């Protein structure tokens, strides 16, 4: 009898322990689903109904994901409301906002993307100041807000000075090298400008083109102004001589942004050579699309225009297309934003 009762007691104890464990587990399991307090219950209702205007970012994300899972697609009305509430919380909106939207302060935010500015700079290995002036120009362009592309042209040589300087800049650039030899430095400069324009045309680099001499000095607002050019733009430029107390102004005379004439005399009233073109190449900017749109701009056909002097074409178009020419800045071209320093060049032997 005693030996048969012991196994029964053990079995009874195991059953009792098992029932006690299952009972505690079930009570604890269902207790976890009950709200701890009223505030937690209220928050749960906000996430489910999306009725409160003060929804924190975390519940909002959980709500959108749940709608996508249940319906298979986003509920556009719910998503739009969520995005609108995010816009109200962040008045300084990012670049993805559409043009014309307004922030909490009621000010319209202009998010038109900046146009690419293409700076073309010819160089000469005969100029001993080339390295110094290249670094000066690189420092200036590094302060200009992007996008900006610097196209630097030089003749082929064993020197790596130009490429070494360009690699150390923080400016996006293209380094063009040609093989032709020149004895006249001005003819070489014009050839380099045309060489750069052929590169821009071939690669369809869309932007506003400006020819920048290494001897130019800029007001940084100049680059913001030329981004507004639609077709052609022009501006005044001051020429300063290092060894003479003389300033000469070249460029347009404007009524607001309309060009009504050109500066043909220096400030000391001495007459310039009136036979030359009044357009200096550094006082003109243009939309690069004119280089590959012959039908719109009246250029020669694609089979013929490879022999055309693009610099001459640009100057002629500036003088002929007055309706497309815009004076910069728009308040009568009265502000000088570009200076050219006339420093006697030290020519290498």
């Amino acid at each position: 009898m005693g030996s048969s009762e012991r196994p029964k007691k053990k079995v009874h104890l195991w059953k009792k322990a098992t029932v006690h464990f299952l009972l505690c587990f079930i009570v604890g399991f269902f207790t976890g689903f009950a709200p701890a307090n009223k505030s937690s219950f209220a928050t749960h209702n906000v996430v489910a109904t999306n009725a409160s205007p003060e929804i924190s970012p975390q519940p909002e994300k959980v709500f959108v994901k749940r709608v996508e899972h249940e319906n298979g697609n986003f509920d556009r009305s719910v998503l739009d409301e969520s995005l609108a509430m995010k816009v109200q919380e962040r008045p300084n909106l990012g670049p993805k906002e559409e043009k014309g939207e307004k922030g909490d302060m009621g000010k319209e935010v202009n998010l038109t993307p900046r146009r690419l500015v293409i700076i073309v700079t010819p160089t000469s290995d005969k100029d001993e100041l080339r390295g110094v002036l290249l670094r000066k120009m690189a420092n200036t362009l590094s302060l200009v807000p992007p996008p900006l592309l610097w196209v630097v042209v030089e003749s082929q040589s064993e020197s790596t000075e130009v490429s070494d300087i360009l690699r150390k800049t923080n400016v996006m650039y293209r380094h063009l090298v040609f093989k032709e030899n020149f004895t006249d430095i001005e003819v070489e400069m014009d050839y380099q400008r045309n060489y750069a324009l052929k590169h821009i045309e071939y690669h369809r680099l869309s932007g506003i083109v400006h020819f920048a001499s290494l001897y130019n000095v800029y007001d940084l607002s100049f680059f913001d102004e030329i981004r507004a050019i639609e077709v052609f733009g022009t501006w005044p430029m001051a020429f300063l001589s290092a060894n003479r107390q003389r300033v000469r102004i070249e460029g347009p005379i404007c009524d607001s942004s309309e060009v009504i004439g050109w500066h043909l005399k220096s400030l000391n009233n001495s007459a310039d050579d009136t036979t030359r073109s009044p357009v200096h190449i550094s006082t003109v900017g243009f939309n690069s699309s004119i280089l590959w749109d012959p039908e719109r701009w009246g250029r020669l056909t694609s089979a013929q225009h490879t022999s055309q002097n693009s610099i001459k074409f640009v100057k002629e178009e500036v003088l002929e297309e007055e309706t497309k020419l815009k004076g910069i800045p728009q308040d009568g071209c009265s502000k000088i934003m570009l200076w050219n320093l006339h420093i006697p060049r030290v020519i290498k032997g």
Side-chain angles (χ1 to χ4, degrees), residues 118 120 193-207 209 211 232 286-295 297 299-302 305-306 308-311 313-314:
I118 305 173
V120 176
R193 295 183 186 105
N194 281 299
Y195 192 80
L197 291 182
K198 289 180 180 179
H199 178 85
I200 293 170
E201 180 179 4
Y202 179 80
H203 293 281
R204 297 294 194 268
L205 301 178
S206 181
V209 179
F211 296 99
F232 293 100
F286 60 94
N287 192 316
S288 61
S289 65
I290 70 172
L291 299 174
W292 57 79
D293 197 351
E295 293 183 358
W297 301 106
R299 296 195 67 192
L300 301 177
T301 62
S302 57
H305 73 214
T306 54
Q308 184 177 3
N309 187 322
S310 296
I311 298 296
F313 163 76
V314 169

Side-chain angles (χ1 to χ4, degrees), residues 41-52:
F41 182 75
T43 304
H44 180 73
N45 288 341
V46 169
V47 175
T49 61
N50 199 24
S52 173

Side-chain angles (χ1 to χ4, degrees), residues 201-226:
E201 180 179 4
Y202 179 80
H203 293 281
R204 297 294 194 268
L205 301 178
S206 181
I208 305 302
V209 179
H210 167 59
F211 296 99
S213 167
L214 288 178
Y215 292 84
N216 286 358
V217 178
Y218 293 89
D219 183 328
L220 290 179
S221 63
F222 168 82
F223 299 97
D224 291 329
E225 293 284 351
I226 66 174

Side-chain angles (χ1 to χ4, degrees), residues 68-127:
E68 181 186 12
H69 176 73
E70 293 177 0
N71 300 336
N73 296 307
F74 281 111
D75 186 340
R76 299 307 304 177
S77 61
V78 173
L79 187 58
D80 291 344
E81 289 177 5
S82 302
L83 293 175
M85 295 173 70
K86 287 182 180 180
V87 170
Q88 293 176 359
E89 291 175 2
R90 294 181 295 174
N92 296 325
L93 300 174
K96 292 184 179 180
E97 182 195 16
E98 294 183 2
K99 181 180 177 182
E101 291 188 4
K102 296 183 179 180
D104 288 343
M105 303 304 292
K107 296 181 179 179
E108 185 171 341
V109 182
N110 185 2
L111 294 172
T112 304
R114 296 190 187 102
R115 286 184 176 177
L116 173 67
V117 175
I118 305 173
I119 305 297
V120 176
T121 301
T123 68
S124 174
D125 58 354
K126 301 180 180 66
D127 189 351

Side-chain angles (χ1 to χ4, degrees), residues 150-170:
W150 190 18
V151 180
V152 180
V153 191
E154 70 162 338
S155 61
Q156 188 176 29
S157 67
E158 296 179 357
S159 174
T160 61
E161 179 186 32
V162 174
S163 57
D164 291 342
I165 292 173
L166 293 176
R167 279 196 295 266
K168 295 177 182 179
T169 66
N170 294 322

